[in-house]
Amino acid sequence: DSPAGFVAYFVLAAILPVAFLAFRGRSAAEGAVLTILGGLLFGPVRATVKLPLLPPLGKETIEYLSVLLLFALRAPGRLRATRAGMWRTDLLPILAALGGVGTSLTNSDARSFGTWHVTHVPGMTLKDGFFISAASITSCLLPFFVGRAVVRDARDLRALLRGFAIAGIVYAPLAFLEMRLSPQLHNWVYGYHPHEDFLQSVRMGGYRPTIFMAHGLAVSLFFLVSALAMSTL
């Protein structure tokens, strides 16, 4: 169960209106980068919206769907130019999306464990496979498609690099704060910690920041990408 409360769900609901504001007065690439990075860096972790027959929709999904909607309304040519399914690079994410069906078909056997207390694990069904495929589409295929729609030329690529560089500068003071006080920003804003095991934030006599991300390793990876973006610029 998600520990998210009103503030977390309010922020999730605000992603689309904020995306509309992000696209005003900016290029399509700049608006998309601002929307995606803003949601990833400051949105709530473990807060999801569950719709029938769909995987849980969190900040990582809602922001990409918002960008797709804004592209359809304000830059439909970008979506047409991606020519989805027409490139060899589409093969890997498509296979990842369809892999859930194969997983369910090859794991249909039920299992039982224990002697005194027996635990029964039912086999997977085709419905489970479709659910896994839908989750793969939102986590793999959707970002891949949006990324190709966002970056169409050198100017778009510079907008992406600038976004990561500026975001790293903005995020750095927050990381230093949590290194000193312990990871508390997400708890202060949303009322719960992003990671269930707080001990994973304790390292070498200090603290590993998580800020508004799911784990300290995600923060490390983000700062690596930000540093690479700065050096590239």
Side-chain angles (χ1 to χ4, degrees), residues 107-111 120-125 128:
N107 289 273
S108 59
D109 296 332
R111 290 289 183 266
H120 298 283
V121 180
M124 298 184 70
T125 65
D128 297 321

Side-chain angles (χ1 to χ4, degrees), residues 106-194:
T106 54
N107 289 273
S108 59
D109 296 332
R111 290 289 183 266
S112 297
F113 302 94
T115 53
W116 175 70
H117 180 75
V118 180
T119 300
H120 298 283
V121 180
M124 298 184 70
T125 65
L126 191 59
K127 180 181 178 181
D128 297 321
F130 285 127
F131 185 87
I132 296 174
S133 294
S136 298
I137 289 173
T138 58
S139 63
C140 179
L141 190 57
L142 178 61
F144 182 86
F145 178 77
V146 171
R148 205 167 70 194
V150 170
V151 181
R152 303 300 304 170
D153 53 33
R155 184 176 61 179
D156 296 338
L157 184 57
R158 282 193 294 269
L160 177 64
L161 295 175
R162 283 197 304 269
F164 271 106
I166 295 172
I169 295 173
V170 172
Y171 232 41
L174 304 181
F176 284 121
L177 178 66
E178 288 201 340
M179 289 169 65
R180 185 72 178 92
L181 301 180
S182 82
Q184 295 294 335
L185 286 171
H186 195 282
N187 185 41
W188 290 343
V189 174
Y190 296 115
Y192 62 98
H193 290 285

Side-chain angles (χ1 to χ4, degrees), residues 44-63:
V45 179
R46 292 197 287 154
T48 58
V49 178
K50 186 66 178 74
L51 299 177
L53 301 179
L54 290 177
L57 304 180
K59 65 176 182 178
E60 299 88 351
T61 306
I62 295 175
E63 60 195 18

Side-chain angles (χ1 to χ4, degrees), residues 15-137:
I15 290 179
L16 180 57
V18 170
F20 275 92
L21 296 177
F23 273 73
R24 293 189 61 180
R26 297 181 177 86
S27 68
E30 291 173 341
V33 170
L34 183 59
T35 299
I36 294 172
L37 287 180
L40 286 176
L41 299 182
F42 296 102
V45 179
R46 292 197 287 154
T48 58
V49 178
K50 186 66 178 74
L51 299 177
L53 301 179
L54 290 177
L57 304 180
K59 65 176 182 178
E60 299 88 351
T61 306
I62 295 175
E63 60 195 18
Y64 286 112
L65 294 176
S66 299
V67 169
L68 277 182
L69 177 61
L70 267 296
F71 276 1
L73 295 176
R74 300 195 174 188
R78 283 181 174 267
L79 297 182
R80 291 193 296 267
T82 58
R83 299 176 62 191
M86 302 298 293
W87 298 89
R88 294 178 182 176
T89 50
D90 290 336
L91 181 61
L92 185 59
I94 290 175
L95 289 177
L98 296 177
V101 176
T103 298
S104 65
L105 294 177
T106 54
N107 289 273
S108 59
D109 296 332
R111 290 289 183 266
S112 297
F113 302 94
T115 53
W116 175 70
H117 180 75
V118 180
T119 300
H120 298 283
V121 180
M124 298 184 70
T125 65
L126 191 59
K127 180 181 178 181
D128 297 321
F130 285 127
F131 185 87
I132 296 174
S133 294
S136 298
I137 289 173

